[in-house]
Amino acid sequence: MKDSVLVVNSGSSSIKYQLVDPAAGVAIASGLVERIGEPDGRITQRHGDREGEHRGAIADHAEGLRLAFAMFTEAGLDLHRAGIAAVGHRVVHGGEVFYRPTVITDEVLAEIARLSSLAPLHNPANVIGIVGAMRELPNVPHVAVFDTAFFHTLPAPARTYAIDAEVARAHGVRRYGFHGTSHEYVSGQVAQFLGRDPGELNQIVLHLGNGASASAIAGGVAVDTSMGLTPLEGLVMGTRSGDIDPGIVMHLRRSADLDIDALDELLNRRSGLKGLSGVNDFRELRRLIDSGDESATLAYDVYIHRLRKYIGAYLVTLGRVDTITFTAGVGENAADVRADALAGLEGLGIEVDPARNGAKEHVARVISTDASRVTVLVVPTDEELAIARASAALVGV
Ligand code: ADP
């Protein structure tokens, strides 16, 4: 238990947490607080083979964490005395200020709160989670690991929007990129798995979960990514539109009389696969497609079309690509998505092996043929482990 790291990922109404042994790379315990602020709150927790559940109203994040700690104590794991070396917090937006894991001081916390204007759905929840966790574990260093950090290397042409430069500068409008912890972790795993120096590899990483993003990584350095100022840009996602003509926003503002909050809700929560088909989960989408649902088929085709567009763009951005890697819920599980994303690209040296692609193994593996010039892989992401390792390294464990 000594030298373990508690990883906390707080969303607007939920907190995911995991106690990780960073050296062994294993989760000792994990849990999820859900529906904070609703009458039917829920906490589910696992420690070894013991599972615990709490149901009932949870007023706020601080109460959620307090109850979670009490449940751990009941299960024989007193986190106050467990010798935790650090608490690692996932923080969504680091703006231009934070580009490496950072020990959280009062000033750092104030700065994360200030960055809420760039991530109004995420940073306020992160701040509340940090404050709650600091109350529970006041004598342990708390570390912020930023989702944007890995992309601070984006070259100017990739990070700059072609809008009035003064306006952009005054309001921090540029491309930041998100899911950075996952892209960094997965690209590192690829190099390790292939026994190669990360500095030698040009990689495309496709993080396809409920949120989805693509990145182009040259020799371990991120050179482009699909998400921008916010996690709304880029690929088609579960409920987010990804790229659209910005003119649509003005058009709907004027002709559908949607105000800015309604447009935010439309593009973040009622678009993407859900907007087109009614469902955002790929398993349900597949069932609808198999039952002959035309909207679901169109949603899938739009998803694949966008994904291929980004793969094409990054092949050219990188010039030479050594690996293409699929990760996250959809990327790790949906063999049809992987096959369709890369179908017909033999001329570009990309050849997926159907049997390897169809195998259901949850470990890093190659799914391209031996003849494929580009190695195609599936690599499970593990953002919690990456946050735990970054936090442990920062506090010198
Ligand atoms: P998040 O972005 O919420 O972290 P995940 O990476 O966990 O998301 O991915 C969640 C998505 O993965 C689900 O919405 C679902 O569409 C997809 N998914 C999970 N398991 C499977 C599966 N076996 N087959 C196809 N898709 C799956």
Side-chain angles (χ1 to χ4, degrees), residues 150 179-193 201 203-207 215 217 323-328 332 364 377-383 386:
F150 182 56
H179 288 152
T181 306
S182 177
H183 287 275
E184 182 173 22
Y185 173 79
V186 167
S187 57
Q189 291 293 108
V190 167
Q192 201 178 332
F193 179 75
L201 289 178
Q203 306 197 33
I204 295 176
V205 175
L206 305 167
H207 175 111
S215 67
I217 303 168
T323 64
I324 299 177
T325 305
F326 291 87
T327 192
E332 290 167 31
L377 303 100
V378 177
V379 172
T381 191
D382 192 338
E383 287 164 287

Side-chain angles (χ1 to χ4, degrees), residues 63-348:
E63 190 187 358
L65 280 171
R66 198 172 46 70
L67 288 168
F69 272 62
M71 281 169 69
F72 272 131
T73 308
E74 255 170 56
L77 178 60
D78 183 349
L79 293 184
H80 301 98
R81 293 166 204 280
I84 290 178
V87 182
H89 294 269
R90 175 182 185 223
V91 178
V92 168
H93 218 305
E96 298 198 307
V97 190
F98 300 113
Y99 51 85
R100 55 171 66 104
T102 304
V103 172
I104 304 172
T105 59
D106 289 350
E107 293 75 35
V108 168
L109 191 60
E111 191 62 30
I112 294 171
R114 206 185 56 75
L115 289 167
S116 293
S117 65
L118 289 171
L121 298 178
H122 298 102
N123 275 37
N126 297 154
V127 169
I128 296 170
I130 292 169
V131 171
M134 282 180 147
R135 206 168 294 156
E136 287 299 324
L137 292 171
N139 300 318
V140 172
H142 289 247
V143 175
V145 178
F146 298 92
D147 231 28
T148 47
F150 182 56
F151 297 115
H152 86 278
T153 53
L154 292 190
R159 68 164 188 259
T160 306
Y161 288 112
I163 66 166
D164 183 304
E166 280 305 312
V167 173
R169 203 169 301 125
H171 297 280
V173 176
R174 47 158 285 190
R175 308 189 63 256
Y176 293 94
F178 297 86
H179 288 152
T181 306
S182 177
H183 287 275
E184 182 173 22
Y185 173 79
V186 167
S187 57
Q189 291 293 108
V190 167
Q192 201 178 332
F193 179 75
L194 297 176
R196 301 276 301 272
D197 175 353
E200 299 177 342
L201 289 178
N202 281 355
Q203 306 197 33
I204 295 176
V205 175
L206 305 167
H207 175 111
L208 310 178
N210 211 356
S213 60
S215 67
I217 303 168
V221 176
V223 294
D224 207 352
T225 191
S226 58
M227 285 176 166
L229 174 77
T230 75
L232 187 53
E233 189 179 341
L235 301 176
V236 175
M237 310 182 210
T239 63
R240 293 179 222 151
S241 62
D243 295 337
I244 56 165
D245 176 351
I248 293 173
V249 174
M250 281 79 89
H251 174 69
L252 290 178
R253 175 75 193 87
R254 293 190 187 109
S255 56
D257 196 25
L258 293 177
D259 68 14
I260 211 65
D261 291 329
L263 285 163
D264 194 321
E265 206 253 341
L266 174 76
L267 297 176
N268 273 300
R269 302 202 188 280
R270 285 195 289 129
S271 295
L273 296 175
K274 182 159 182 101
L276 290 172
S277 72
V279 300
N280 63 295
D281 191 295
F282 247 92
R283 289 158 289 195
E284 288 176 52
L285 188 75
R286 173 50 58 199
R287 275 194 286 278
L288 287 178
I289 294 170
D290 292 344
S291 73
D293 186 303
E294 284 178 18
S295 322
T297 304
L298 177 64
Y300 181 82
D301 292 346
V302 173
Y303 183 97
I304 296 293
H305 176 79
R306 184 82 51 82
L307 186 55
R308 289 174 67 90
K309 215 160 146 175
Y310 271 92
I311 294 167
Y314 292 169
L315 286 170
V316 174
T317 297
L318 290 166
R320 188 204 81 227
V321 169
D322 302 299
T323 64
I324 299 177
T325 305
F326 291 87
T327 192
V330 178
E332 290 167 31
N333 294 296
D336 51 350
V337 170
R338 297 192 296 258
D340 292 336
L342 299 177
L345 302 184
E346 294 76 10
L348 296 172

